Amino acid sequence: MKENGKMTAVILCLVCAVLAAGLFWQYGRLSRLKEEMAALETQTERYRGEALILEHELNKALERIEVLEDVEQVRAPLVTSYRLRIQEIDTARHTATLGLEAELNVVNLDAEAELVVWQTGASSRVLLTQSEEGRYEGAVTLSMEAPEQGALFQVSVTDGGYKRSEEICSLASLTELLDVQLQASAGEAEYRGGALYFTGWQVKAENAAEGSETMRIYRNGEMLQEFPVTAIMDFNQACDVGDTVELRYAAADRWGLRYEFPLKWWEVTETGAVLHWPVTAGHALLWEK
């Protein structure tokens, strides 16, 4: 019995030793796991901090990009495209209403735009309305009493604190905008037997009202003949040595405004007719009286 008791005690001691060794190993493993977890938490915090820094830098970069995009848009041409045309002519008041349609490079949809027209030191301003995103339109009425004078057209925009202006066109004469334009004229002229004979004359113009085109013959500044323009014309004008004879083309536009274009003129001499070109390339406007 005593030997059995000793054996049991030895076995119990061995079991306790094994359990103690296992517990010690588990404790060591738990300690290592805690250390690893602490290290991971430290690393995670460091990564989280780095991520916050990167996010801050990214936001700053995006803000800079937005600012640069706004600056580039402001620096880009203000007027992307435009159309300037006459909408109406008042022949009684001698005025022309010009319409502008323009596509503008604006940052804000509520940008305020205006058309500025400069004439001989004075300016006319009208606000442009936005018909759709980026597209503006408006109209200005100008005096045509002296259409040979030039004009400068400019668009001005106040956009998000920025004010920009850009010239869209400059005209030497407002007549460049008018409908009727002379394209070409040609023919022969010969003086013989007290008259100037014209053969094979042709005149080409655009936008003249149907039935309004005529050829006019002036002698010494006085109009002596006027007849309809046809495809090819032969005609003559009596004259003497020392006279001047001039051809002019006349027509009307869709509003009833009449135009007169100087073509060529001749000085009659004892040896024939000397050809001269018009003093000016412009044309006269004949208003209603």
Side-chain angles (χ1 to χ4, degrees):
M1 292 294 293
K2 289 182 179 180
E3 292 179 356
N4 290 337
K6 289 180 179 180
M7 183 62 69
T8 300
V10 171
I11 292 172
L12 288 173
C13 288
L14 291 171
V15 171
C16 289
V18 170
L19 290 174
L23 289 172
F24 181 78
W25 182 81
Q26 290 289 345
Y27 178 77
R29 186 168 179 271
L30 287 172
S31 297
R32 289 192 299 274
L33 288 173
K34 286 181 178 180
E35 291 174 357
E36 291 175 0
M37 290 177 64
L40 287 173
E41 287 179 357
T42 301
Q43 192 175 27
T44 300
E45 287 299 321
R46 186 173 71 251
Y47 289 157
R48 186 179 292 114
E50 292 176 355
L52 290 174
I53 293 173
L54 289 173
E55 183 180 3
H56 178 68
E57 292 297 326
L58 177 61
N59 288 334
K60 288 174 61 179
L62 291 174
E63 291 175 0
R64 287 196 295 271
I65 289 172
E66 290 179 356
V67 170
L68 289 173
E69 286 178 345
D70 289 345
V71 170
E72 285 303 315
Q73 191 163 10
V74 168
R75 289 179 178 175
L78 174 59
V79 182
T80 304
S81 63
Y82 76 93
R83 181 188 183 196
L84 184 66
R85 61 187 179 90
I86 291 183
Q87 291 182 340
E88 182 182 5
I89 290 180
D90 190 325
T91 56
R93 292 185 173 87
H94 299 187
T95 60
T97 300
L98 308 182
L100 174 68
E101 299 173 1
E103 185 174 355
L104 305 182
N105 176 35
V106 295
V107 177
N108 301 287
L109 296 180
D110 58 350
E112 184 178 281
E114 64 178 355
L115 171 65
V116 185
V117 184
W118 296 91
Q119 288 180 291
T120 59
S123 65
S124 303
R125 296 173 177 266
V126 292
L127 287 176
L128 300 176
T129 57
Q130 190 170 190
S131 57
E132 55 183 281
E133 185 176 341
R135 294 185 177 275
Y136 290 77
E137 59 184 24
V140 60
T141 299
L142 303 176
S143 172
M144 296 292 286
E145 290 287 0
E148 69 281 357
Q149 295 181 354
L152 184 148
F153 296 84
Q154 184 182 69
V155 169
S156 180
V157 170
T158 301
D159 182 12
Y162 296 97
K163 187 166 185 179
R164 295 181 287 162
S165 296
E166 185 172 292
E167 178 184 326
I168 58 174
C169 70
S170 178
L171 303 178
S173 169
L174 287 178
T175 57
E176 295 179 39
L177 291 174
L178 295 175
D179 273 8
V180 179
Q181 299 292 333
L182 180 66
Q183 296 175 312
S185 65
E188 300 293 333
E190 180 184 5
Y191 177 71
R192 63 178 186 272
L196 195 58
Y197 291 86
F198 300 89
T199 57
W201 273 86
Q202 302 178 62
V203 178
K204 185 178 181 181
E206 59 180 9
N207 301 323
E210 185 176 356
S212 69
E213 298 176 275
T214 62
M215 184 72 81
R216 294 178 172 183
I217 304 178
Y218 288 77
R219 188 183 68 182
N220 301 328
E222 179 185 2
M223 187 175 71
L224 298 182
Q225 295 190 63
E226 182 176 22
F227 49 87
V229 170
T230 57
I232 299 178
M233 296 169 285
D234 295 331
F235 48 92
N236 61 77
Q237 174 61 51
C239 54
D240 297 318
V241 173
D243 288 344
T244 60
V245 178
E246 181 183 6
L247 293 184
R248 299 182 191 178
Y249 163 80
D253 62 20
R254 52 182 163 161
W255 291 287
L257 176 62
R258 292 198 61 81
Y259 304 67
E260 189 179 60
F261 294 83
L263 301 181
K264 298 174 183 177
W265 66 280
W266 292 260
E267 180 183 3
V268 181
T269 68
E270 293 182 354
T271 58
V274 180
L275 170 65
H276 296 271
W277 294 93
V279 176
T280 174
H283 54 275
L285 300 182
L286 309 178
W287 299 98
E288 293 180 354
K289 295 182 181 181

